[in-house]
Amino acid sequence: MHQVIVVLRADREYEFTVHADEIAGLSGEAARAWLLGEFEALECTPSNPMGKVLILDVILNIAKYCGEARFAHGGEWARRFAACVGVALDRRAVRVDVPAFVVG
């Protein structure tokens, strides 16, 4: 099970609990590939244009660029994002804090 919290503003955060059956068969590589695909589709700008794009940068920029509505509705896209974040980082609990630009 993974718990992913996405903070978009000081007064606005969204929590997703992803159960084992939802990530069955999702490898770390596949999770990272999905995240990179979304990063490109949303035309995110890397924080460091001179170097390698880190997975934490990818996650933060996706959350920043995708728009709050995707998280507010808690639909399939938001659940997929949460699943891929949890699997890619191999963490049970993740906090994606967009205003502070920190993943913890």
Side-chain angles (χ1 to χ4, degrees):
M1 182 171 77
H2 298 279
Q3 180 181 24
V4 176
I5 298 172
V6 179
V7 180
L8 297 174
R9 297 188 308 223
D11 65 337
R12 192 80 72 200
E13 64 181 51
Y14 301 94
E15 183 175 336
F16 302 93
T17 301
V18 182
H19 299 281
D21 62 329
E22 295 177 89
I23 57 171
L26 179 62
S27 68
E29 184 177 321
R32 286 185 295 280
W34 186 87
L35 290 166
L36 286 169
E38 291 300 303
F39 183 84
E40 291 176 11
L42 292 167
E43 298 180 357
C44 297
T45 304
S47 299
N48 180 4
M50 296 304 293
K52 183 176 181 181
V53 178
L54 303 174
I55 195 66
L56 297 179
D57 194 37
V58 168
I59 291 166
L60 285 161
N61 276 291
I62 291 170
K64 178 181 174 181
Y65 282 82
C66 77
E68 187 172 346
R70 289 192 189 194
F71 294 110
H73 297 302
E76 185 178 329
W77 185 92
R79 297 202 57 76
R80 183 67 173 178
F81 174 82
C84 288
V85 166
V87 171
L89 297 179
D90 193 24
R91 293 187 198 167
R92 296 282 179 215
V94 179
R95 184 177 180 86
V96 179
D97 189 331
V98 175
F101 213 68
V102 172
V103 175

